Amino acid sequence: MRPRARRIQYRWLPCKSLINRVPEGMPFRWSINPYRGCTHGCVYCYARATHPYLGLDGGVDFESVIFVKAGAVEALRRDLARRSWARELVAIGTATDPYQPIEGKYRLMRGILRALIDADTPFSITTKSTLVLRDLDLLIEATRRAGCTVNLSIPTVDPILWRRLEPGTPHPRQRLRALRRLREAGIRAGVFLAPILPGITDDRDHLEAVVREAARHGAAFLWPGVLHLGPGVREWVFPALARIRPDLMPMYRALYRGRDAAPFYRESVLRRVEALKVQWGLPRQAPDRPQPARPAVAARGGAGPTTAVASMGPTAPAPSQVDRWTNRPAAGPPAPEGGRTAGLPVGDAPGRDGAASQRRGRRRGAVPDSQQLALPLPGA
């Protein structure tokens, strides 16, 4: 087990704009993170690369120095009040868990959800926390209006691995019970089986355990993702994994010559999960998003035509516009010069949300065929 910080510090971070524009290639264009840093301490967290922008490290500092965005709700209402805002999908929790423990004190998410609902803006939430149930009333209201989705991250249901990989998170069984409550309330909620760790959680038994429990607890979808290591993340993740499974490090260095695992490995694991989803009655892709109860709303100020607002986005995309793994709308057109859209501020700081680091090394994961044959295939 790696050393844990003895004391957690919370610092205010001035916030002028809460909505961040994410780079191309992501299945959404806008994100919100009310905090920076995370006390969950997941050893594989890709968001560790965001702390060095603040002069801190991505290891213990990321887990123990948490920034709370001051004036977050007020900043969001200003963003949503802009005439250019077209009520596009906003992803909450892309670089930090919005329901980590400090949320119980500051309650930023209630104000954020209230602002999004009032602005008829659809959103998704990604979390490992059962605290999301506190805002069940707002999630029900959002479902009836512009729409919302809750993604519960459950990479393993093995209690031993959970303690070693995610020491600050609720037990996976608690997350599954939260999933069931959300589904019983009519919320579109499912499981993110991510990240899948080569040699640790990629064998059939581990994968099937998560898929089976997701199906039993009524998940509307299950999305798998293999571990990826962007710049500024590898130097923290590799030592943490070495403490857990030092015997696997030669394999990790062979598989991860770039940000992503070798394509042949990644595709084989995803195919394995897709087969398990069929076996346990989960849709191979996320089901069609239900239309909200409210009629469509046009963007203010004539900024674009009237569109039907679906539960995960402003329009129901055609099949060719949907990412085949996430079943989310494909990335939109490139931003105008300067990275802004009709005057909406880009965000707080360079490299925010860790999204910029995901663009670098995008093409480095490929491994020549002659080298693929020599690589092991964990969990086969």
Side-chain angles (χ1 to χ4, degrees), residues 196 204 207 224 226 263-278 284 324-325 377:
I196 298 170
R204 182 181 178 87
L207 297 176
V226 178
F264 82 96
Y265 167 77
R266 186 173 65 253
E267 292 167 7
S268 69
V269 171
L270 296 179
R271 283 196 300 268
R272 189 178 305 154
V273 176
E274 292 303 310
L276 290 170
K277 288 165 61 176
V278 173
R284 295 196 64 182
R324 68 190 187 100
W325 293 116
L377 181 59

Side-chain angles (χ1 to χ4, degrees), residues 13 36 38 89 109 137 163 173 175-176 184 199 261 276 350:
L13 184 68
R36 295 189 70 160
C38 186
L89 170 70
M109 281 297 291
D137 58 327
R163 290 189 184 95
R173 296 291 173 185
R175 284 175 257 175
L176 288 166
E184 290 173 349
L276 290 170

